[in-house]
Amino acid sequence: MTEETKPSNFIRNLIDADLAAGKYSTVRTRFPPEPNGYLHFGHAKSICLNFGLAKDYGGACHLRFDDTNPEKEEQEYVDSIIDAVRWLGWDWGPHLYYASNYFGKMYEFAEKLIEANLAYVDSQSAEEMRQNRGTLTEPGRDSPYRNRTVAENLELFRRMKAGEFPDGAHVLRAKIDMASPNINLRDPAIYRIKHATHHNTGDAWCIYPMYTYAHPIEDALEGITHSLCTLEFEDQRPFYDWLLDNLANLGCLQRPLPRQIEFARLNLTYVVLSKRKLIQLVEEKHVAGWDDPRMPTLVGARRRGYTPEGFRRFAEMIGVAKSDALIDYAVFEECQREVLNETAPRRIAVLDPLKLVIDNYPDGQEEECCAPNHPQKPEWGQRTIPFSKELWIEREDFTENAPKGYFRLFPGNRVRLRYGYVVECVGCDKDAAGNVTAVHCRYFPDSKSGTPGADAYKVKGNLHWVSARHAYEARVRLYDRLFKVPNPGAEGDFLADLNPDSVKIITAQLEPALKDAQPEERFQFERHGYFIADRVDSQPGAPVFNRTATLKDSWK
Ligand code: ATP
Ligand code: MG
């Protein structure tokens, strides 16, 4: 999509108005993950929105780790987030930042607020503070410590920083209004004591800024113009503005200040996007890990075979809105299928193999058949696939007693072996239990696809096959939805809604060239869907395949 044809949305309209009014001369956004988990499909929406806007307006988008909480954050998550944003196709150039790099500034600004009598050290217990906060209908009550002198506050805050107090003994609070109708303005805490080692700053600090204090400062220090966040931060916006405005008045920050804009988070049917639930799925081993191809994480999506372009297309398609909506997973899958259809070369795979013997084909003989790599893209050329006396076909492509309208193999019927010959079924072998173990056919030597005689044969069935002698026998994992209901957990425990058949592992017979598939190579297996060579379990010369999606939505 070009700039001109991009659908406008309320965020673009606000940005356009800001630029037109001369409030900002450029657009600078940021994606600010907290490194306390792996990124999921919801984050992809935020990433595509922030990086996409920066790109469209010729601005910049920062990747910033919001690492203000020392206890839950880990380097493993930092690394996986960097990988995931890159994988989605975005580039932050030199703009990689950590909130923890601003701890010094944040502390300095907190002292400035104290000196301006805009912050104070509160020594109430957490319980007292809760009681005095009030409710939605009742105003809060001032803390008995609210009127400490500037000198007393400064001294206490410095001693907090010096490590003289245990966790929870004091907090620094903004001094705003305990009677405000917006609870977020009732003297929110901005610093707390936490004797914890931080993944980036080690033991340099034992007081840490609260997210609501840190985040606006990070945005302002980086010159962010539009700070996009999800709707639950709407009530925080007055504090965001209060803080930045006061810090600018105190000379700590430059104007123009960033503007916070909220949008609806992504909710998708058949998945859970809460970090807590995702962690539970991993820790309780309901899945094989964060990158299990059934997980709605970006590492999972990557192994599953979903494409970055499909994510970007999906983000464009759903756009941004001001109110929460539940998007059907089928919409996401359809975006992925569109991309996969355009980009995945075709290959042949028999997923439920049954032997087909061509009785009148010479025993040791073999020959090549030509198959296009993509039916709509002749420029992708053709490949050859070997043909011989014994082939694998799908078990469902043979029946002894054909119902009306069944055009595949049954005794007496003729079908085309796709890209090969026309064959006529002459019977089958069975084991003692009556199961079909092989199908017998005879072939018509002048019927080969692409030869002048081929057109003389009119058949309705067109079956795919692989030569038994040449086939690559592979492990293939057929993934399905992780949850069996559209809204997991709506009726209680989300774990009770897990789909017990979300993965099926089979041994399939694949066209021989697939043996050389490289990890992460994607294909359409004709008639079956889209598959990818798994990036973790594949060995050189022995790829394992994951099904990304069926050709159509089989869930309806
Ligand atoms: P937490 O509860 O740990 O804060 P989070 O899902 O908000 O979880 P963050 O790492 O803080 O995770 O999120 C980074 C960015 O991604 C934030 O700007 C957040 O608003 C955005 N984001 C998170 N989940 C979604 C979602 N479902 N849809 C759109 N954006 C999301
Ligand atoms: Mg968050």
Side-chain angles (χ1 to χ4, degrees), residues 392-427:
W392 293 111
I393 61 167
E394 297 291 344
R395 189 162 285 276
E396 63 166 32
D397 285 347
F398 171 79
T399 182
E400 274 189 287
N401 304 303
K404 201 167 170 317
Y406 186 90
F407 299 123
R408 291 174 265 171
L409 281 174
F410 55 90
N413 194 38
R414 290 182 186 186
V415 299
R416 177 170 293 285
L417 296 172
R418 201 164 202 194
Y419 316 124
Y421 293 95
V422 170
V423 294
E424 182 175 296
C425 182
V426 296

Side-chain angles (χ1 to χ4, degrees), residues 32 34 211 230 232-233 265 275:
E34 190 181 344
Y211 177 86
T230 38
E232 69 272 21
F233 291 101
R265 62 173 48 236
K275 272 186 197 165

Side-chain angles (χ1 to χ4, degrees), residues 364-402:
Q365 185 167 314
E366 63 180 72
E367 63 187 288
E368 290 182 333
C369 297
C370 280
N373 286 320
H374 194 293
Q376 284 94 41
K377 294 180 197 273
E379 68 277 16
W380 285 19
Q382 300 202 327
R383 67 201 193 276
T384 57
I385 42 182
F387 184 89
S388 65
K389 185 182 178 80
E390 296 198 355
L391 310 175
W392 293 111
I393 61 167
E394 297 291 344
R395 189 162 285 276
E396 63 166 32
D397 285 347
F398 171 79
T399 182
E400 274 189 287
N401 304 303

Side-chain angles (χ1 to χ4, degrees), residues 79-262:
D79 297 340
S80 81
I81 290 169
I82 287 181
D83 275 358
V85 180
R86 271 215 190 100
W87 177 74
L88 276 180
W90 301 106
D91 183 11
W92 48 89
H95 302 295
L96 175 65
Y97 303 105
Y98 290 83
S100 53
N101 289 347
Y102 311 124
F103 281 171
K105 283 265 177 226
M106 291 171 185
Y107 177 82
E108 192 187 305
F109 295 174
E111 287 207 351
K112 287 275 191 319
L113 290 172
I114 294 172
E115 284 164 6
N117 200 20
L118 291 170
Y120 63 98
V121 173
D122 194 356
S123 310
Q124 295 180 98
S125 67
E127 184 50 36
E128 285 164 334
M129 252 182 267
R130 224 182 341 266
Q131 279 171 8
N132 288 333
R133 189 173 296 128
T135 64
L136 285 174
T137 49
E138 276 171 50
R141 279 184 299 276
D142 284 2
S143 160
Y145 306 99
R146 198 171 195 267
N147 293 318
R148 279 177 163 151
T149 63
V150 167
E152 199 182 346
N153 281 320
L154 259 188
E155 193 215 316
L156 277 171
F157 188 48
R158 287 177 183 163
R159 289 175 59 199
M160 281 166 65
K161 174 173 179 261
E164 291 187 23
F165 305 112
D167 289 7
H170 310 279
V171 294
L172 185 70
R173 297 178 77 173
K175 195 170 189 176
I176 309 178
D177 179 7
M178 285 307 292
S180 170
N182 182 342
I183 293 187
N184 298 293
L185 291 180
R186 293 183 191 167
D187 294 5
I190 59 179
Y191 260 96
R192 66 203 147 152
I193 303 171
K194 219 168 233 218
H195 292 270
T197 304
H198 186 279
H199 80 109
N200 194 21
T201 56
D203 293 320
W205 296 88
C206 64
I207 55 171
Y208 290 94
M210 302 298 287
Y211 177 86
T212 43
Y213 171 76
H215 196 82
I217 294 177
E218 295 153 23
D219 283 345
L221 288 174
E222 291 177 13
I224 299 301
T225 56
H226 298 87
S227 176
L228 312 180
C229 61
T230 38
L231 285 176
E232 69 272 21
F233 291 101
E234 193 164 13
D235 292 344
Q236 290 286 354
R237 183 162 17 105
F239 179 66
Y240 187 101
D241 293 337
W242 178 94
L243 179 65
L244 295 187
D245 199 45
N246 278 298
L247 289 174
N249 290 342
L250 293 170
C252 298
L253 296 172
Q254 305 282 318
R255 294 179 196 273
L257 297 168
R259 166 177 192 180
Q260 175 178 307
I261 302 172
E262 307 86 21

Side-chain angles (χ1 to χ4, degrees), residues 342-363:
E342 287 159 23
T343 55
R346 278 33 176 182
R347 293 290 182 267
I348 296 173
V350 175
L351 300 187
D352 185 12
L354 173 64
K355 191 67 80 63
L356 178 88
V357 183
I358 303 172
D359 294 337
N360 64 335
Y361 194 86
D363 277 349

